[in-house]
Amino acid sequence: MQRMPYSTGLSDEQWSLIEPLVAAWKQERVARSATGDPGSCDLREVVNALLYQNRTGCQWRLPPHDLPASSSVFSYFTLWRQDGLDQRIQETLRCRVRERARHLEDPSLVIIDTRSVRVAAGVAKKATGLDANKKTPGRKRGPAVDLMGLTIGVVILAASAGAASAQAATGGGDFTAKLACPFSGKISSTHSSTSLSGGIVHHLKSIGQNGVTIRTRYEKNGSGSTITAKLGYSCSGSTYWGASFAQSNNTTKSKKWVRSSWQAHCCPTTGLLSVTGQRQLQMPAASC
């Protein structure tokens, strides 16, 4: 017997937008598991429970009895944050909203504004400060949004930090590389290649003033017949493909993507080559 839906629950259309991401995460998680047990919990209901808790503000241990157990919900919530699934969902939905409004999925301009807020008594003193202008002790939080008001990321600083510190924390003007980025370290150009019996596939990832450039290229040698194929790349469980093409011997085909999101900056990318009627080739990862 199905339960009556709550007003906070996902509709079928909403679930269809994020189900591929959740399913890809589950498949990857099961593959890494020692037992290979996929579990019996309905992940759509887990999302419904999280939405209910977020909207109503109820305690974690006091959800309605017809939603999944609180221990299961919190466990999945923790795993999704650790694996970055929550960020991938947020990024996917933001791009979908922008495309529906007839904007490019990656914004050309991002706005950041900081606000000083008080913190709990147990927060370490070295992580806080005093805002000299507003006389507020605590931290500064700086949400970064696009021109539609959609969240790109958040910067957290001591309240004593000035505008220069906020700019430095975001990496100057090209700050989307460090907002909400789960990795640290300097971003640099990386590339990888894989040799095939029919040629060589190259994959390149580099950063510049316009964002991250991701390129997959296939050099076909003089053996074999003309093929129909497409080039792509994967990042954090999402796959992106270029258009299909016909390629003859001794030619090179290339596909380039330019991205400015934190996800493209931070996550390792994997080059892909798919040949019609043959197998799909996956490249070594090119990481930051």
Side-chain angles (χ1 to χ4, degrees):
M1 179 179 178
Q2 292 185 344
R3 66 171 178 81
M4 293 293 293
Y6 293 97
S7 61
T8 56
L10 292 171
S11 65
D12 291 341
E13 182 181 5
Q14 290 171 331
W15 172 242
S16 68
L17 295 176
I18 67 171
E19 183 181 14
L21 297 175
V22 177
W25 171 86
K26 182 177 181 179
Q27 183 178 6
E28 180 184 358
R29 196 78 189 185
V30 170
R32 293 184 304 181
S33 172
T35 62
D37 183 10
S40 59
C41 197
D42 186 342
L43 297 187
R44 178 174 177 174
E45 286 290 78
V46 172
V47 176
N48 285 335
L50 290 173
L51 293 174
Y52 182 93
Q53 194 274 341
N54 178 70
R55 183 66 181 87
T56 64
C58 72
Q59 295 182 9
W60 279 104
R61 295 183 178 276
L62 296 176
H65 63 82
D66 52 357
L67 289 174
S70 59
S71 58
S72 298
V73 174
F74 188 77
S75 176
Y76 277 108
F77 175 72
T78 303
L79 290 174
W80 290 348
R81 285 185 57 86
Q82 290 175 351
D83 294 343
L85 178 61
D86 59 334
Q87 293 286 353
R88 295 196 292 275
I89 291 176
Q90 190 271 341
E91 181 78 5
T92 298
L93 296 180
R94 181 181 62 80
C95 292
R96 183 66 177 264
V97 172
R98 287 184 58 83
E99 289 176 348
R100 181 171 294 181
R102 298 185 178 181
H103 293 290
L104 295 175
E105 64 176 34
D106 291 327
S108 59
L109 179 64
V110 178
I111 303 169
I112 184 170
D113 187 23
T114 59
R115 176 185 180 185
S116 297
V117 295
R118 296 179 181 273
V119 297
V123 176
K125 186 176 181 179
K126 64 180 181 180
T128 64
L130 176 65
D131 188 329
N133 294 323
K134 299 181 180 179
K135 309 300 181 184
T136 302
R139 289 176 174 172
K140 280 184 178 179
R141 63 185 180 193
V145 299
D146 62 13
L147 294 181
M148 296 181 63
L150 303 175
T151 302
I152 306 296
V154 179
V155 172
I156 305 296
L157 302 168
S160 55
S165 298
Q167 186 178 19
T170 59
D174 189 16
F175 61 83
T176 51
K178 296 182 180 179
L179 290 174
C181 182
F183 301 99
S184 60
K186 184 178 180 181
I187 298 173
S188 61
S189 299
T190 56
H191 69 276
S192 57
S193 62
T194 296
S195 297
L196 305 173
S197 58
I200 301 177
V201 181
H202 301 271
H203 182 60
L204 171 71
K205 177 182 178 184
S206 60
I207 185 171
Q209 293 182 349
N210 296 325
V212 169
T213 298
I214 301 169
R215 182 183 287 107
T216 304
R217 184 175 78 252
Y218 178 44
E219 299 177 0
K220 192 176 187 306
N221 61 24
S223 64
S225 58
T226 299
I227 62 170
T228 300
K230 59 182 178 180
L231 296 168
Y233 78 95
S234 64
C235 175
S236 296
S238 299
T239 302
Y240 306 87
W241 291 103
S244 296
F245 55 84
Q247 185 173 4
S248 57
N249 296 330
N250 300 315
T251 59
T252 299
K253 295 291 185 179
S254 178
K255 175 60 180 176
K256 180 179 74 173
W257 299 263
V258 177
R259 300 287 188 251
S260 61
S261 64
W262 73 268
Q263 185 180 20
H265 283 80
C266 300
C267 76
T269 59
T270 302
L272 300 173
L273 169 67
S274 179
V275 180
T276 302
Q278 301 182 33
R279 66 189 179 92
Q280 176 178 306
L281 174 72
Q282 179 171 302
M283 294 282 300
S287 58
C288 297

